[in-house]
Amino acid sequence: MSKLRRREALTGLAFVAPVVVGLVVFMAVPLVVSLGYSFTHWNFIAPAPTFVGLDNWIALFNDPRIPIVIWNTVKFILFGTTSFLLFSLLAALLTFIPRRFVGAYRAALFLPYVLSQIAVGIVWRWMFNSQTGPLTLGVELLGIPSPDWLLDPNTAMISIALVTTWQGIGYGMTLYIAGLNSVPEPLIEAARIDGAGPIRRFWSIILPLISPTVFFLLVTSMIGALQLFDPVVAMTSSSAGVSSAGGPSNSTRTIVLYMYNQMFNYNERISGIGYAAAIAWMLAILTFAITAIQFLLGRRFVYYEALVAPTRSERRRAKKRMEALR
């Protein structure tokens, strides 16, 4: 290796080293340590953890509350992730075309995204108040009986999902607008000349071309939904603190909230940092599995052809199709 090449390699390593060290210290080491803790029992009172083998994992699979918190998380994904993707796309379509004050509209929609989730949750908790909340009073003025937004197990998680959607619309809108800007105008114009209406142009041209943006938002919002914590704590906890969050009747207790409860709950035989670490690893495996499935399905529904060169297998399949046509 020449002296210049060696100097370039050392320079590159010097720039990469801080990131690598940060990943090892703040991610790799905690992951290994938490995996080790999942085989121990420790309530922070004993001087050291006690090795218990697979007891935490056996208790995890036998815990009747695990299916409940998983289902609560699934409900949030069904309402929150779906509404986030749809309303963000709608906001992008409405603000995509340059017009007067469109920048102000975009800024107003993006502003909630930069606010603290705890602060947003506290404000919306007041708005959802079943006695004096503005939403309750507004619905009653229309002559419609107002639901007990956060006090009814049937509507509590939906209310939280709507709040997170409201806060994230600006972020999704911004990425959708970037995707819409990448759609070639000649394709839209050609479809318009051929007689395709707005709906046909959207489904046949625009949506396939912005599918990478949709896929990115789907994956990241799904990961965020699996880690839901702050809005639930802000909107459902009482004066007793975080331990009281997740109501009513455990209808909003998510996986991360249950993990937090178990980490600082020493009233049960198996609770503590060891059982919480087992729950954390279950969540990590679940997140990895869902993301892997999304990437597998994304190969069939996400249109990358205009963005990246075809792979060897794609070229081989295209060649076979051409030979068949001959």
Side-chain angles (χ1 to χ4, degrees):
M1 182 182 292
S2 64
K3 188 175 181 180
L4 179 60
R5 283 289 186 84
R6 189 180 300 110
R7 183 182 302 173
E8 291 178 348
L10 292 176
T11 303
L13 289 175
F15 280 106
V16 174
V19 179
V20 174
V21 172
L23 288 174
V24 172
V25 173
F26 297 107
M27 293 190 66
V29 173
L31 282 173
V32 174
V33 172
S34 66
L35 181 61
Y37 276 138
S38 68
F39 300 102
T40 66
H41 176 67
W42 190 25
N43 55 10
F44 293 113
I45 299 175
T50 302
F51 181 77
V52 294
L54 297 175
D55 286 0
N56 289 324
W57 293 94
I58 295 173
L60 177 65
F61 287 106
N62 293 325
D63 192 342
R65 293 165 294 188
I66 292 296
I68 296 175
V69 298
I70 291 178
W71 171 240
N72 290 338
T73 305
V74 171
K75 284 194 299 183
F76 176 81
I77 291 173
L78 293 175
F79 291 105
T81 302
T82 304
S83 60
F84 165 72
L85 294 174
L86 293 178
F87 285 114
S88 296
L89 179 58
L90 179 61
L93 293 174
L94 292 176
T95 60
F96 172 67
I97 300 176
R99 56 172 63 92
R100 193 175 184 183
F101 301 124
V102 69
Y105 298 147
R106 293 177 181 175
L109 289 173
F110 189 81
L111 179 61
Y113 180 71
V114 302
L115 302 178
S116 165
Q117 285 189 325
I118 294 294
V120 169
I122 293 173
V123 172
W124 276 93
R125 179 176 180 171
W126 165 72
M127 295 183 68
F128 280 130
N129 188 289
S130 59
Q131 300 296 326
T132 59
L135 287 179
T136 300
L137 297 178
V139 171
E140 290 178 350
L141 285 176
L142 298 176
I144 304 173
S146 175
D148 293 329
W149 304 98
L150 297 174
L151 301 179
D152 187 348
N154 296 319
T155 59
M157 185 57 80
I158 298 176
S159 301
I160 295 174
L162 292 177
V163 171
T164 58
T165 296
W166 170 82
Q167 186 175 15
I169 280 180
Y171 169 73
M173 176 198 66
T174 303
L175 295 185
Y176 274 130
I177 289 176
L180 291 171
N181 281 321
S182 66
V183 176
E185 185 62 30
L187 290 178
I188 306 296
E189 187 62 30
R192 185 183 294 109
I193 294 174
D194 289 340
I199 297 179
R200 182 65 175 176
R201 293 197 300 270
F202 174 78
W203 283 107
S204 300
I205 298 177
I206 296 177
L207 188 59
L209 290 178
I210 66 171
S211 57
T213 303
V214 178
F215 180 68
F216 172 79
L217 288 173
L218 175 63
V219 172
T220 54
S221 61
M222 190 79 74
I223 295 174
L226 290 170
Q227 300 174 354
L228 180 67
F229 180 79
D230 288 350
V232 175
V233 172
M235 299 177 69
T236 65
S237 61
S238 65
S239 57
V242 180
S243 60
S244 62
S249 302
N250 287 324
S251 60
T252 60
R253 191 176 303 277
T254 60
I255 301 176
V256 177
L257 179 57
Y258 183 62
M259 177 185 67
Y260 179 91
N261 296 148
Q262 290 300 309
M263 179 178 293
F264 299 104
N265 179 16
Y266 310 136
N267 298 324
E268 302 177 15
R269 179 187 62 83
I270 201 67
S271 62
I273 190 173
Y275 190 49
I279 297 175
W281 270 92
M282 178 203 69
L283 176 60
I285 295 171
L286 182 63
T287 303
F288 176 82
I290 292 176
T291 305
I293 293 173
Q294 288 176 314
F295 272 93
L296 290 175
L297 295 177
R299 295 179 180 178
R300 301 183 59 182
F301 302 105
V302 181
Y303 183 79
Y304 286 115
E305 187 172 340
L307 303 178
V308 297
T311 62
R312 183 178 300 176
S313 60
E314 291 173 341
R315 290 196 299 268
R316 192 182 302 115
R317 288 197 296 269
K319 184 178 180 180
K320 289 182 179 179
R321 287 196 296 268
M322 293 297 295
E323 292 175 352
L325 291 174
R326 293 174 183 174

